[in-house]
Amino acid sequence: MQIIRELSELEPAVAALRGAGDTLALVPTMGALHAGHLALIAEGRRRAAHVAATVFVNPLQFNDPGDLARYPRTEEADLARLKKAGCDLVWLPTPDQLYPQGFATNVSVRGVSDRWEGEHRPGHFDGVATVVAKLLLAVRPTHAIFGEKDWQQLAVIRRVEEDLGIGVAILGYPTVREANGLAMSSRNALLSPEQRAKAAALPTALRAVGKEIAAGGAVTPALQRARAALLSGEFSKVDYLALVDSRSLEPLEKAGEPMRLIAAATIGGVRLIDNMAVTLEQQVGR
Ligand code: PAF
């Protein structure tokens, strides 16, 4: 696995890897890698001839400086994991490489980024859209793979790619979960083992609402019950728990496909997000 730290080394390394036009999948990450990221690398290996990853804790996407300072950084372990997973190249940019003196461009996506994470983390999606555009333009992969755990982020990235005509196939990969159902996230490392066990109440609540809605139950009371269940357990705050159109992220008061349940809630001072697809049960004979 090639480890690239200098921007000047990136283009020749990618060119050598791709040779006469081999496909290349890119997995952008912020490090603190877990099995969810490694599943993205494995998917990259299935989809393309070569796989590259980036590890960069992007300061632009943190609206809270405390959150940025606390974000786990585990470079040595990350490199070992990427190598073992069969990653061919990893680029570890510095903030100066991506945002040199005088950098003044902001990629901002209207509509799909306005609500939910966009509302609770002002500026977050501008930071994500800007860094992802920069990474895709610097590496120029044929494919880029992102986890579906960040469902709204994936929708924002698809919009950026399409609107800017970057020419990269954006692929989502299903959320990888711990045995208790908790979505894998680098932030889980900030929870105690006890909190981690109790955090499974979040996917449990989403699954319960999903079942009710799939079976034809009313949406709003189901969402209210799930919110109350989280707050009566270990969760101190629920920023949102909503049924949305899975492409536009607009809220739905009634079931309508394609739909997704999305949530953000805080446990032990750590803010977690999760989401699940909801499909209406077939009305046999009707
Ligand atoms: O999902 C993440 O880890 C980050 O938001 C991303 C896409 C790597 C951009 O910094």
Side-chain angles (χ1 to χ4, degrees), residues 28-30 37 56 58 61 124 128 131-132 146 150 153 157:
T29 80
M30 296 208 299
H37 295 109
F56 178 64
N58 174 32
Q61 70 187 76
H124 168 67
V128 171
V131 80
V132 170
F146 300 87
D150 297 277
Q153 166 174 283
I157 291 170

Side-chain angles (χ1 to χ4, degrees), residues 240-264:
Y240 58 83
L241 200 163
L243 181 72
V244 300
D245 177 295
S246 58
R247 292 163 305 196
S248 68
L249 277 292
E250 287 297 310
L252 296 174
E253 281 170 17
K254 284 188 189 148
E257 289 176 293
M259 56 188 160
R260 201 102 193 160
L261 280 164
I262 58 168

Side-chain angles (χ1 to χ4, degrees), residues 10 70 75 90 97 202 219 248 257 264 268 276:
L10 181 66
R70 276 201 313 161
E75 185 182 301
V90 56
Q97 286 170 13
L202 181 57
V219 173
S248 68
E257 289 176 293
M276 275 181 202

